[in-house]
């Protein structure tokens, strides 16, 4: 009954198998190998973006912070939701990588920014030499609240950004879950919706440690590579990161795993509706649920061995993963109810 | 015939086996798991340093740059050899992590710094508010030239540093090779010789992506953790980095692999002595050889499929790894000679 | 009729006289001169703080950003009012000087933070390695809204900060105006109220370019000097900055000038009460007034040559200075009314 | 007998007069005033560079560090002489402003870089993602050794830089002395010789605190303004910096003062040739002399009240300024000889 985070789940066996296949013999290090080249090409195909540049990384924080450093100058500000991962969970990595750029925090219900709120936030910045200059827009899909932006919603937001000349970053730590939930294509939820740089997360969806920074506009690719190296994020045996992604994309494993996680969360949400005193905070199309539950229900679940985060006495965050089983869900629900 | 670098070698099979064992079930992320705890304890035992703090990382550049940021303030300078990895091969990562600290480059034959040269370099720094302040000493063992510092040599250098109040970092990307070559214990080549912070490298000696930052003085452990997170280097599924090290230390695998690499390099060095026109530049106690060879010899080797780096028409760098075979060595020698 | 800012006023003649007296002969540069020493001693006397350290600067942004870099680590956050100068008017200088520390913006009416709001903001930070750590509290007095903190109000706020171990910075760009308005002593509005570091501003109150960073705890004085030099803020002919302050403190000129500015603002506020449609937004104890006025009134004033800032069609900011005359005030009022 | 530095000299009286003239009435702050505009135009005329952009500053370190941050990215390196002010005397300001860019130190006799040495230094950098990338060339004229680059020598060096695509910065802390010594025009010693950005120093030549950053290519002017503000170097009452320069350029005062300083240094050099045991280290076309003298000579001079720097028992640095008199020189010589 582990619902603490999808990054506490094990690695999918196919990923180990792919890494072991990649372990045959020698290969030039630092990404100068055939496997890494092939994976980059594969991502271009998956995203229907033949000129995109792809940098492999091992953490989502590195991907996000690198992206923002590329898009926002040190004297700029990145517009993001108040509870974005880049704002709340990265210990200032965006500020570090960017040389001190700001984040302008935008409020919005259910973890989402509205075009109006974005427009207002932008209107209050820029102009004189005394103030932070307009940098980038950073969105997150699936959001930190477990909600979704549809392709149309993304487009409406990026249109506001573009009208002011701002480039757009998407934190896709759970991009596969968003694809599975919306049925959209990778292109539709990224560059076709106005995203310039995507942090494509694999680690929360079955991989060991694999993230990709996808630059749909390759103009800053060399700068990105220098920033990656300089941040200590150019792994030497990069073929093993490529191998993880290769397994992920094969037979659409990434979508299968994400769909499963979403399905398990949906089962959990459905069951929670029958738990006395339970209240689900947001819609739950993906694999994250925020729910208020009576203290006694939390106590029973913990006593039964459930692992998940609580923000306060009643608010819990429950995350399903590729390896969550129906039995896990049902056991948790039973503990909440009994 | 791959002699380009020890980080181009495959991962040792025992490492995959350990990671797959670690893949049983769920675990809290970000190092809050039993396997990571156990591994940190194991490193304390291996180094006879019960109060040391250990941070797991995936690249040596991250380990080095984090170490220097801990030891040198932004207005300080780190003393190191002109050809140190931190000076020549990390795209300014130390400057980035430290917020702009300098490196004071010290010349010395065979990749080594002498106590006199260090004393002189220190004497030329510090004092007024106009100049870079004295920061740390950073040494590398095995050096970039493939040579060694003995424990006594390290102690002589760290004594100079300590006399001026400077802390000491050791870049141990090939620390196991140094242990194997000297027969010293881990403690003897680190804290007993005056080292305060060690970058302990596993990736060049059979691991997939595993480095440890060992803080023999734990006073800055929390700062180190914040800097790691902020740099995007706190991997979520950290148990798999721990597992790599667990395999490494089991049955002294790390020393077995390093000893083998050193032995293969020695065999190569012995053979090179019989290649007409060959000249070995430094003593070669570890697994790296710099050798001048006639252009024709290089051409024959490349034609035979040998892979290694050349700095100019005649100077080659040849690196043996845990997976180098006697046949690899003999084939390379045959190509050079024929 | 210049009410745009107190830094648009001329320099007081006594300041030039003092600088010309300081211009006799040679002096060692970079503050190693007798005049600078004497001025630092004088500030210690004025503030009844015999162990304080004083650094002379030429801009308030430099003083503020230096202070925050001393008090907040790169991974920390400084708590301040949403409209603080450090947040809105320094183009990210605090982020630059601190190496990327954050600002946590606190809302509050009339430009002021309440102890409750501070307590809540602090409660939401700190703890895990993933979040910004608690840095410093930064207050402004006179506030950006032209309002005041009394010594008791400052103490209540700094008590909250101290209870959480946070050091306190005070942006005193208009510190003399605050003294004049409250009748408190310099010590009462600074270290006795819990302030650790003060940006003491002279430029807005009759000096040419003179600010002092006062460190009531001298522990970080050397770090402050290194940061000042490294930021290019150690002026060579520092005796002329000292001379400006010498004139300022002589015969309490600083208080005389500030009192005059406050009095002129009060005259203006009184008069505005009689302007049809005028509304003053905050209490106006110091030299800044925010007032809403009919568009026609603004138009008449501008046509009559008045210079001041407007945020929108009706909101104007009017700042009196040491050189504002009763005639200036009356002429402006006449224009508003006619 | 003050020969410690030209920045220990008093301010020229005409400078105070100009500042007092500028003190009539109010003016918009932060450079939005007519005097600052007029001064920028005047610099464009003086340099025959109608499209140049000019930023006023108060310290040379700020000017240099801003310039390098504009020209070299964080992952780049600036090529400069080993004893350049940016390398030895600014406490890491270039590293701070640039976000951690490196300096590549080039040796050369008499404080000068040769085109060959520059070519070699450049050849050893750039290329792979692992190394510092090529940034800018920074030259100093008058050099730290008191020697000169002619316009032809500058052109030869900047041609090497340009051939590799590197922009060129000139530290002109003593630019007027270089003009006076060479007889070249401002344009000839700057943009016509390939200089892209000039730190034009006034403080060492009679001004109070006035430096100008001259961007011959205005493309980065806005970035420069943002960097200036962000570094706390946008002084509010900027008209007084403009006034200093206005006095400086009027009637060619800057050249008159510099010529006088050079003449006094020449008189000193001539006299030193007759001091038993004296040896002048470099040619002395400008206002700085490095001379070896017997310890007893130093002792006599110090006893007679001479003030100057000694690097060791015999090596002294003697700097003449605009206010040095023949009597000062003769008295110093007499003390050395007696």
């Amino acid at each position: 009954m582990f619902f603490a985070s999808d990054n506490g789940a094990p690695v999918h066996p196919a990923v180990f198998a792919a890494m072991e296949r990649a372990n045959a013999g020698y290969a030039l290090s630092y990404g100068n190998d055939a496997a890494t080249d092939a994976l980059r090409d594969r991502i271009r195909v998956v995203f229907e973006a033949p000129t995109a540049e792809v940098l492999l990384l091992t953490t989502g924080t590195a991907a996000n912070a690198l992206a923002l450093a590329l898009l926002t100058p040190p004297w700029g500000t990145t517009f993001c939701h108040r509870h974005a991962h880049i704002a709340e969970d990265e210990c200032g990595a965006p500020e570090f990588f960017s040389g001190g750029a700001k984040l302008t925090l935008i409020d919005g219900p259910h973890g989402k920014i509205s075009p109006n709120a974005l427009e207002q936030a932008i209107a209050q910045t820029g102009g004189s030499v005394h103030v932070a200059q307009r940098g980038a827009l950073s969105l997150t899909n699936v959001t930190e609240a477990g909600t979704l932006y549809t392709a149309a919603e993304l487009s409406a937001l990026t249109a506001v950004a573009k009208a002011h000349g701002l480039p757009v970053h998407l934190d896709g730590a759970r991009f596969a879950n968003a694809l599975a939930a919306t049925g959209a294509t990778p292109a539709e939820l990224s560059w076709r919706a106005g995203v310039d740089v995507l942090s494509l997360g694999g680690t929360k969806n079955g991989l060991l440690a694999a993230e990709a920074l996808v630059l749909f506009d390759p103009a800053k690719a060399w700068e990105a590579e220098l920033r990656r190296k300089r941040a200590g994020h150019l792994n030497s045996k990069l073929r093993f990161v490529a191998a993880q992604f290769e397994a992920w994309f094969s037979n659409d494993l990434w979508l299968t795993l994400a769909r499963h996680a979403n399905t398990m969360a949906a089962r959990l949400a459905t069951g929670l509706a029958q738990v006395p005193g339970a209240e689900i905070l947001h819609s739950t199309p993906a694999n994250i649920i925020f729910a208020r539950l009576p203290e006694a229900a939390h106590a029973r679940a913990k006593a039964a061995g459930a692992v998940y985060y609580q923000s306060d006495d009643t608010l819990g965050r429950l995350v399903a993963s590729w390896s969550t089983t129906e039995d896990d869900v049902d056991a948790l629900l039973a503990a909440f109810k009994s």
Side-chain angles (χ1 to χ4, degrees), chain A:
Chain A
M1 288 198 288
F2 186 96
F3 292 86
S5 177
D6 33 12
N7 63 23
V11 175
H12 191 276
V15 175
F16 273 112
M19 286 198 290
E20 294 190 48
R21 282 196 303 276
N23 199 32
Y26 298 85
L28 284 178
S29 43
Y30 303 117
N32 300 310
D33 64 282
T36 301
D37 272 347
L39 183 275
R40 289 189 293 223
D41 279 340
R42 185 155 196 170
I43 287 183
R44 290 182 190 108
V45 171
V46 166
F47 280 85
E48 306 170 56
T51 61
E53 279 294 340
V54 179
L55 285 87
L56 300 186
L57 297 159
T58 66
T59 76
T61 294
N64 288 340
L66 257 176
L68 297 184
L70 287 173
L71 300 182
T72 302
W75 44 85
T77 191
T78 294
F79 299 89
C80 65
H81 193 274
R82 175 175 299 280
H83 299 305
H85 201 269
I86 59 172
E88 291 206 327
D89 299 294
E90 300 186 349
C91 195
E95 289 86 351
F96 175 47
F97 278 67
S98 67
K102 286 174 180 278
L103 299 177
T104 296
L105 308 181
I106 302 176
D107 288 303
H110 307 305
K112 295 172 69 174
I113 298 172
S114 72
N116 273 353
L118 176 60
E119 186 70 54
Q120 285 178 31
I122 294 174
Q124 286 166 17
T125 59
S128 94
V129 79
H130 301 278
V131 304
Q133 304 298 301
R134 294 170 184 165
L137 167 64
S138 180
L139 300 169
T140 308
N141 207 19
V142 178
T143 76
E144 294 297 317
T147 55
L148 272 183
Y149 289 110
T150 62
E153 288 174 319
L154 290 175
S155 294
L157 285 161
T158 64
V160 173
K162 307 276 164 171
H164 292 281
L166 310 190
V168 179
H169 165 248
L170 183 71
D171 178 354
R174 295 184 179 92
F175 189 76
N177 301 85
L179 292 179
T182 58
T185 68
E188 285 168 352
L189 280 194
S190 60
W191 65 271
R192 283 208 178 116
V195 171
D196 298 296
V197 179
L198 169 68
S199 298
L200 175 62
T203 313
K204 287 186 161 75
N205 189 36
L207 303 189
L208 194 154
E211 311 279 319
L213 192 66
V214 186
L215 309 176
F216 294 108
D217 175 352
K220 293 196 172 177
W222 179 235
E223 178 182 334
E225 295 207 23
L226 290 162
R227 287 187 181 274
R228 174 174 63 171
K229 173 65 194 179
R230 179 170 173 75
H233 280 291
L234 177 54
N235 278 53
S236 57
K237 298 183 178 176
L238 209 56
R239 56 174 155 166
F240 297 106
V241 179
Q244 295 177 56
F245 271 117
E246 199 59 37
W248 210 50
F249 288 122
S250 292
N251 304 311
D252 281 342
L253 179 65
W254 65 322
L255 299 179
T256 303
L257 298 183
R259 199 173 295 121
H260 176 82
N262 291 2
T263 301
M264 290 302 101
R267 182 183 187 94
L268 181 55
T270 302
L272 281 169
Q274 298 170 337
V275 174
E279 177 200 359
I280 294 181
L281 267 65
H282 316 292
S283 69
T284 56
N287 65 324
I288 306 178
I289 299 174
F290 286 86
R292 292 213 172 272
L293 286 153
E295 289 185 48
H298 283 302
R300 283 193 303 272
K302 298 289 171 73
V307 181
Y308 58 87
Y309 288 105
Q310 268 186 261
S311 311
D312 58 31
D313 287 346
T314 60
L315 183 57
R317 189 189 76 152
L318 304 161
V319 187
S321 76
W322 73 269
S323 74
T324 302
T325 63
E326 295 191 355
D327 284 353
D328 291 336
V329 172
D330 295 347
L332 178 63
L333 287 169
F336 280 146
K337 289 177 193 167
S338 66

